[in-house]
Amino acid sequence: MDKSIDIYLDENEMPDKWYNFMPFLPKELPAAKNHETGVCSDQSGLMQEIRPKELILQDHCKEKWIKIPDEVLEKLFQIGRPTPLRRAAALERYLGTPAHIYFKREDLLLTGSFKLSTAIPQLYYANNEGFKGVVSETGAGQWGMALALSSKFYGMECKVFMAKCSLEQKPYRKIYMDLLGAEVMPSPSSLTLVGRDILMENKDHTGTLGTAISDAVAYAKDNKGFAYLSGSNTTHVLIHQTLLGLETKKQMEKAGEKPDMLFACISGGSNLGGFMLPFIEERMNNEVLYIGAESEAAPRLTQGNYEYDYSDYKGYTPLVKSYTMGHSFIPDPVHAGGLRQHSGSPVAGLLRHEGLLDAKAYGEKDAFKAAKVFLETEGVLVAPETSHAVAAVIETALELKKKNKKKNLVMLCSGSGMLDLEGYKSVI
């Protein structure tokens, strides 16, 4: 009998509170600096104007638990939460490893990725505060799809600036957003002054998350009534995503095992943070290890500097301290568009700087080859971003095989690759 199992939670077992990890970090997070003055300030005046106030309050909450509104809980259940955890027994047999490998199935949510878990609460708060619409950036399109669906749930307008190269590589993600009435624009965009300035400097700019953030912030600044929302990096996003790790904790308890190593891909850091930070107290006691897998196209954690930088190309956002390649950095136009970010979450940066987060960088071809093995054994085609985490898991499982050591490896499958077939075809 196949040892592969899915470990489920029912509706009553779904967490009804978000976990606020901030009090449990090894050090206080370095304060953000005002984008105009360089003086330490929690938020720039611009962000105070264009971001829902409740999200800013969540960034500074001191309580361990934050109650999830009942309406948000209902919609989270509607879109597929809680998601199953699966034992990857077929992959274990293929590798001949003594390791037990588990993966968290965020690819099963309605839009095919974990992003809905923060899109829904952010739209809920924006709607409650009277905004007529929302605007944001997206790299590979996963966040854009989640934003488009959540906006439709709340009857709000939705504008999405998508990195130009990803928009060209992933036309089906745009079609999905179009079906939901979202307006999707390439970044750099001729619609905003900052986009036009970037195109004047480089008419062939492939676009990045940094340029898309600049476009989105500029749009919110110039169009009253539009809330600017973030899909990653910020503390409130990571707090919303702690549902991933909280569910995984319960599921591993049901399996009768404890994780020894947690794996996730990383760019801005929301999927990794949401998955791993509910285990921060275990990590501080050295009961579990964190491994982040990034793209060689944007190797912030393995080659970047730990310093203050803007999250966007233009410098609209507050200066935050994390690992960065520099806000003018233009990554190669790889198909893992969600990993093409010059910097990332200050929380992930702090974990890395304090030695609590290990990082590995993989080239696109090696990552996609690992994803192919995962597809052939487990039958699951992961998103290009997730393929980097798969590569790290396989590499670790083979190392454990050499040492004949049994450990529990738990990986976040952050998204589905079914809309990325052209990318896979072009690389392998």
Side-chain angles (χ1 to χ4, degrees):
M1 183 176 178
D2 197 326
K3 292 182 291 183
S4 293
I5 55 170
D6 285 314
I7 305 164
Y8 292 97
L9 300 176
D10 61 35
E11 183 180 2
N12 295 324
E13 294 175 297
M14 186 167 76
D16 62 359
K17 297 179 182 68
W18 293 304
Y19 174 69
N20 180 17
F21 49 82
M22 293 292 283
F24 304 98
L25 294 176
K27 285 185 178 178
E28 187 175 349
L29 209 61
K33 295 181 179 180
N34 185 284
H35 78 295
E36 294 173 335
T37 66
V39 176
C40 286
S41 170
D42 290 330
Q43 289 283 345
S44 72
L46 176 57
M47 287 295 147
Q48 291 277 4
E49 294 171 12
I50 63 178
R51 204 188 286 282
K53 304 259 184 312
E54 181 59 33
L55 300 177
I56 296 173
L57 290 174
Q58 288 179 1
D59 286 340
H60 308 294
C61 179
K62 304 298 183 185
E63 302 299 322
K64 181 176 180 179
W65 299 101
I66 300 174
K67 179 72 172 68
I68 304 173
D70 289 343
E71 182 179 331
V72 172
L73 279 173
E74 289 173 8
K75 283 188 166 54
L76 290 172
F77 184 70
Q78 176 186 345
I79 57 93
R81 298 225 74 87
T83 59
L85 181 76
R86 169 164 276 245
R87 171 85 179 274
L91 178 63
E92 293 171 11
R93 288 195 299 272
Y94 174 83
L95 299 175
T97 180
H100 287 184
I101 301 172
Y102 293 86
F103 60 105
K104 180 69 167 160
R105 297 292 310 273
E106 296 299 297
D107 60 303
L108 296 178
L109 293 178
L110 288 187
T111 57
S113 88
F114 73 107
K115 294 288 190 178
L116 276 169
S117 298
T118 185
I120 288 171
Q122 289 194 58
L123 263 295
Y124 169 82
Y125 293 123
N127 184 57
N128 279 3
E129 294 182 26
F131 288 97
K132 70 175 183 180
V134 297
V135 59
S136 192
E137 69 285 337
T138 193
Q142 292 180 345
W143 168 240
M145 291 171 66
L147 201 68
L149 181 59
S150 301
S151 297
K152 187 57 65 175
F153 284 165
Y154 286 96
M156 298 178 72
E157 293 182 51
C158 180
K159 311 286 184 184
V160 178
F161 290 91
M162 187 169 179
K164 179 185 174 184
C165 65
S166 290
L167 187 59
E168 294 170 347
Q169 293 168 345
K170 304 171 191 295
Y172 294 110
R173 295 197 186 276
K174 181 181 184 301
I175 292 171
Y176 181 94
M177 290 182 264
D178 289 341
L179 282 170
L180 289 164
E183 184 178 1
V184 186
M185 297 149 286
S187 179
S189 170
S190 60
L191 186 64
T192 68
L193 178 59
V194 61
R196 292 192 293 271
D197 285 347
I198 296 170
L199 291 171
M200 284 287 288
E201 296 168 8
N202 179 3
K203 66 180 178 63
D204 297 319
H205 200 298
T206 56
T208 66
L209 271 168
T211 66
I213 294 172
S214 289
D215 270 322
V217 172
Y219 188 91
K221 173 175 170 286
D222 295 336
N223 291 269
K224 189 172 177 58
F226 276 84
Y228 169 67
L229 305 182
S230 296
S232 193
N233 286 40
T234 58
T235 301
H236 59 266
V237 172
L238 273 67
I239 287 174
H240 297 162
Q241 296 292 5
T242 56
L243 292 178
L244 281 61
L246 293 171
E247 291 177 10
T248 301
K249 261 192 168 184
K250 288 187 177 182
Q251 288 162 321
M252 288 298 290
E253 289 170 5
K254 280 192 167 187
E257 297 200 292
K258 292 184 178 181
D260 295 304
M261 304 174 78
L262 298 172
F263 296 80
C265 63
I266 183 166
S267 180
S270 63
N271 84 105
L272 179 142
F275 179 56
M276 297 184 185
L277 285 166
F279 295 89
I280 186 65
E281 295 171 72
E282 291 89 339
R283 180 66 190 92
M284 296 297 291
N285 292 328
N286 292 315
E287 297 172 14
V288 67
L289 297 178
Y290 292 169
I291 297 90
E294 64 182 5
S295 168
E296 287 182 352
R300 301 160 306 283
L301 296 181
T302 52
Q303 296 183 34
N305 297 314
Y306 188 58
E307 60 190 18
Y308 276 96
D309 197 6
Y310 300 105
S311 297
D312 70 306
Y313 184 91
K314 178 67 175 178
Y316 282 131
T317 56
L319 286 156
V320 294
K321 194 169 187 180
S322 190
Y323 283 87
T324 180
M325 303 296 291
H327 62 275
S328 61
F329 177 71
I330 305 176
D332 290 338
V334 294
H335 291 275
L339 302 188
R340 295 179 68 250
Q341 190 166 357
H342 67 274
S343 66
S345 163
V347 174
L350 179 67
L351 293 174
R352 174 66 169 162
H353 188 66
E354 294 299 313
L356 298 176
L357 173 62
D358 294 330
K360 298 183 178 185
Y362 295 92
E364 186 172 52
K365 192 163 188 177
D366 288 339
F368 278 23
K369 283 182 177 178
K372 187 172 184 291
V373 169
F374 198 71
L375 173 63
E376 292 168 343
T377 54
E378 293 299 324
V380 177
L381 180 65
V382 301
E385 293 78 13
T386 304
S387 71
H388 295 69
V390 175
V393 167
I394 289 176
E395 182 179 30
T396 303
L398 291 175
E399 289 171 358
L400 292 170
K401 178 182 178 179
K402 290 178 183 178
K403 299 173 183 177
N404 195 28
K405 283 189 176 181
K406 186 265 176 184
K407 287 188 180 294
N408 296 323
L409 314 182
V410 187
M411 180 193 80
L412 180 66
C413 180
S414 57
S416 168
M418 294 304 290
L419 295 182
D420 298 285
L421 294 172
E422 284 292 338
Y424 275 107
K425 180 182 177 182
S426 67
V427 175
I428 55 176

